Amino acid sequence: MSGTVTVVSSNGTYTFTKPNRDSVTLLAGLGVEGDVHAGVTVKHRSRVAQDPTQPNLRQVHLIHEELFDELREAGYEVAPGDLGENVTTRGIDLLGLPVGTLLHLGDEAVVEVTGLRNPCLQIDNFQDGLLKQVVGRDAAGNIVRKAGIMGIVTSGGTVRPGDPVKVELPAEPHRPLDRV
């Protein structure tokens, strides 16, 4: 299984969206260099309020570009970086990956998948009704989160649009993604 990095984004301040960049540098154990969410411990405001000492399992946020296609069909204009992600990909079912999957981005960087992004109400402040498009329920009533996945950097390196993404699945049994 493989795909492509289409866009990379980062921001040194807390804002909902992140500007697109020519490249980002991933730092092992920290996240995206210069990004407000980089660090060993949690940086997302809601998580810091609960327990600022918990490990940062959300160092890198990845979204599949196919989500933007789906949102466009539903009448929403969302572009890479708009939902605060760091890496936008195409050609990989990110939401279907198990916990512990290694994503090799470009020549050196490796991100270990930790779980699903749990989108918050800020999404509706960005575009009214968007939250219901990225969080819903399946036929059995289970919550379905579509706003991307989170991971930690296990090997650093520079990531650029056009870089290949190689998927390395963990040993079985696989654990499905849950929110982190």
Side-chain angles (χ1 to χ4, degrees):
M1 195 177 346
S2 64
T4 305
V5 173
T6 59
V7 178
V8 293
S9 310
S10 67
N11 201 342
T13 59
Y14 282 105
T15 59
F16 185 73
T17 62
K18 293 187 179 187
N20 299 165
R21 309 285 183 193
D22 292 332
S23 67
V24 293
T25 301
L26 302 188
L27 303 173
L30 294 174
V32 178
E33 182 177 46
D35 192 81
V36 69
H37 294 112
V40 174
T41 57
V42 293
K43 301 300 175 198
H44 286 78
R45 290 176 175 168
S46 63
R47 306 293 166 120
V48 170
Q50 291 174 354
D51 177 5
T53 66
Q54 59 186 306
N56 188 3
L57 301 178
R58 299 165 56 107
Q59 294 174 356
V60 180
H61 177 198
L62 300 97
I63 284 185
H64 52 295
E65 194 170 45
E66 292 85 352
L67 175 64
F68 304 138
D69 300 337
E70 181 183 321
L71 294 173
R72 195 170 301 106
E73 289 176 14
Y76 294 87
E77 281 302 317
V78 181
D82 282 353
L83 299 182
E85 73 277 8
N86 301 112
V87 178
T88 307
T89 66
R90 184 165 284 281
I92 298 173
D93 178 13
L94 295 177
L95 303 177
L97 298 173
V99 172
T101 297
L102 298 179
L103 298 174
H104 298 262
L105 308 172
D107 294 332
E108 299 174 326
V110 180
V111 172
E112 180 180 338
V113 177
T114 56
L116 295 167
R117 175 189 184 188
N118 189 33
C120 65
L121 291 175
Q122 287 184 43
I123 285 183
D124 275 345
N125 293 335
F126 175 68
Q127 285 187 40
D128 191 43
L130 190 56
L131 182 60
K132 285 187 178 180
Q133 298 297 315
V134 297
V135 178
R137 295 200 179 264
D138 63 16
N142 300 308
I143 294 175
V144 176
R145 293 173 178 86
K146 298 190 280 185
I149 62 172
M150 307 304 284
I152 58 172
V153 181
T154 60
S155 294
T158 301
V159 181
R160 295 175 180 83
D163 279 350
V165 180
K166 182 181 146 226
V167 175
E168 182 182 344
L169 295 174
E172 292 190 11
H174 292 162
R175 288 187 354 215
L177 297 178
D178 197 2
R179 67 186 176 104
V180 292

